[in-house]
Amino acid sequence: MMSESHLRVISQLIDGGDPEVSISTLADQLEWSTSHASRIITELETYGCVQTKQSGREKLVSLTEIEPIEQLEGLLTEHRHMDLPALIAGSGLQILYYLDRGRTATELAERSGVSRATVYRRLDDLQLVGVIGKSKSRYRLNEPFTVLASIARGLFHQKHRRETRKHVVGLNFLWETHNEYLFACDGDISAEGFHPTGPALFGEFDVPLLTRDRRHYFRTDRVTEVDPVALVCHTLLIDDGSRYRTYCLLLIQKQDIDRTELRERAEHYHSEATTDLRTIVDGLIEYLETSGETTAEHLPEWEEFKQTAREYEVTL
């Protein structure tokens, strides 16, 4: 994701004052070779941060009007005296992604995947210039730099959208971190790193569902396939209504999913979920362990669920 070179180009396009500039001129301003500038601009164009057009023998480049770039433009313009490109590039953006709230260095390292030593070093640099503050072991962005978390999230989201739109249309992102995301779409994807998930995958685990819903995929490099535990979490992120909760109950029982592992996996997805995934999973587990005596909203009556389980040949 965004290196210091990428952010140098954006900063120069802002400072230069011209809405469009040729790549060769930009290379001169940055004291780079034209080939290096061209490569960086091509990458920025892939991320959706700049756009280019041919004008005679020159290729002109300009910033796009996506929200994170407009937010970044405002911040860089207001704080020209600070070397923000160096401060936030690379792992800095991964850390800033999770500074939407106060977090400890350990939490930031776990969520961002950045080593703890690097997290401490980047936090020290940001604290030194007043971008972040620290209180009771938790780091927070100071005003007016709180927008940096939104910028980081917007840039990663733009990258995810761009890489997915190469394969399918009709995208709807359902859950996302800096390096993983779950989405619905209108077509099939066979590209590496995109794993089928959602109701259509239940058949792979002996709970065949008749569904005409849209396709769902989980994009990650962390695992090579979606297992039943992840499938329960993904399904609840897709739709936590009564029908999908019943699907999940069937899958948990059919695959004899380890309850502790399910709770731990729900915890992984919980912090970026728009629903209270942790509570929903706890409710499903308690419902099964008490044979429906402990129930919750959007769960079926136990006798009704027993009938559904028989239809799917699931033993309770």
Side-chain angles (χ1 to χ4, degrees):
M1 188 50 182
M2 289 269 180
S3 67
E4 186 173 339
S5 292
H6 296 130
L7 290 166
R8 293 283 176 214
V9 167
I10 293 171
S11 180
Q12 186 59 43
L13 287 169
I14 294 168
D15 287 341
D18 294 327
E20 293 181 327
V21 62
S22 70
I23 292 178
S24 58
T25 299
L26 189 62
D28 289 342
Q29 291 170 343
L30 290 167
E31 299 182 350
W32 291 352
S33 68
T34 302
S35 61
H36 178 62
S38 294
R39 181 175 64 80
I40 296 298
I41 288 166
T42 298
E43 291 170 356
L44 281 171
E45 198 168 17
T46 301
Y47 298 153
C49 298
V50 302
Q51 55 200 354
T52 61
K53 71 176 184 182
Q54 200 69 35
S55 177
R57 302 176 69 176
E58 295 274 19
K59 184 178 271 191
L60 302 179
V61 58
S62 61
L63 294 171
T64 59
E65 295 180 353
I66 60 173
E67 186 175 4
I69 290 298
E70 291 180 341
Q71 291 173 320
L72 189 57
E73 186 173 355
L75 206 59
L76 289 171
T77 301
E78 189 176 349
H79 300 280
R80 293 178 191 276
H81 62 287
M82 296 174 64
D83 191 1
L84 279 173
L87 283 166
I88 68 177
S91 58
L93 279 175
Q94 290 176 228
I95 295 167
L96 290 166
Y97 190 101
Y98 296 99
L99 277 173
D100 57 324
R101 67 193 74 172
R103 297 190 195 273
T104 66
T106 299
E107 289 173 339
L108 291 169
E110 289 174 352
R111 293 180 185 280
S112 68
V114 177
S115 72
R116 194 175 298 189
T118 300
V119 167
Y120 275 116
R121 189 175 69 252
R122 301 303 295 261
L123 290 175
D124 284 346
D125 291 343
L126 291 167
Q127 194 172 10
L128 190 64
V129 295
V131 171
I132 63 170
K134 182 182 178 185
S135 175
K136 297 180 180 177
S137 301
R138 292 191 173 274
Y139 295 86
R140 295 180 186 276
L141 287 163
N142 293 326
E143 291 290 349
F145 302 104
T146 51
V147 72
L148 279 169
S150 174
I151 290 170
R153 286 172 176 254
L155 290 173
F156 277 105
H157 177 72
Q158 188 66 19
K159 175 179 178 289
H160 298 162
R161 178 169 289 278
R162 286 277 177 152
E163 69 184 6
T164 307
R165 284 177 61 184
K166 290 189 291 188
H167 305 287
V168 287
V169 296
L171 293 170
N172 180 24
F173 284 77
L174 302 164
W175 179 89
E176 181 169 24
T177 65
H178 74 284
N179 64 350
E180 293 183 337
Y181 51 94
L182 171 70
F183 62 97
C185 60
D186 290 336
D188 295 320
I189 305 178
S190 58
E192 188 175 353
F194 290 87
H195 308 292
T197 188
L201 191 63
F202 274 61
E204 297 290 324
F205 301 107
D206 300 326
V207 184
L209 302 178
L210 291 176
T211 175
R212 296 181 179 176
D213 289 345
R214 298 211 297 158
R215 296 285 189 269
H216 296 91
Y217 287 89
F218 183 54
R219 171 70 177 92
T220 182
D221 293 322
R222 183 170 51 86
V223 297
T224 56
E225 61 183 9
V226 172
D227 64 20
V229 183
L231 181 55
V232 170
C233 296
H234 294 172
T235 302
L236 294 171
L237 291 168
I238 291 166
D239 186 339
D240 66 342
S242 57
R243 185 162 63 108
Y244 279 36
R245 290 193 194 200
T246 299
Y247 292 165
C248 291
L249 290 168
L250 294 171
L251 186 64
I252 292 169
Q253 197 67 15
K254 183 75 174 185
Q255 292 293 320
D256 193 20
I257 289 176
D258 183 272
R259 276 43 168 179
T260 301
E261 186 180 359
L262 180 56
R263 283 192 169 102
E264 289 174 352
R265 203 74 68 85
E267 188 69 32
H268 170 77
Y269 291 101
H270 176 76
S271 67
E272 300 297 330
T274 57
T275 58
D276 188 355
L277 185 63
R278 188 165 45 200
T279 299
I280 295 171
V281 166
D282 282 345
L284 297 184
I285 291 172
E286 289 176 10
Y287 176 84
L288 289 172
E289 290 182 344
T290 64
S291 298
E293 288 188 13
T294 301
T295 188
E297 193 177 7
H298 301 308
L299 291 179
E301 294 293 331
W302 184 250
E303 290 302 318
E304 178 189 343
F305 179 62
K306 283 171 64 178
Q307 176 60 36
T308 305
R310 279 194 292 272
E311 291 170 0
Y312 282 90
E313 299 181 350
V314 174
T315 303
L316 297 180

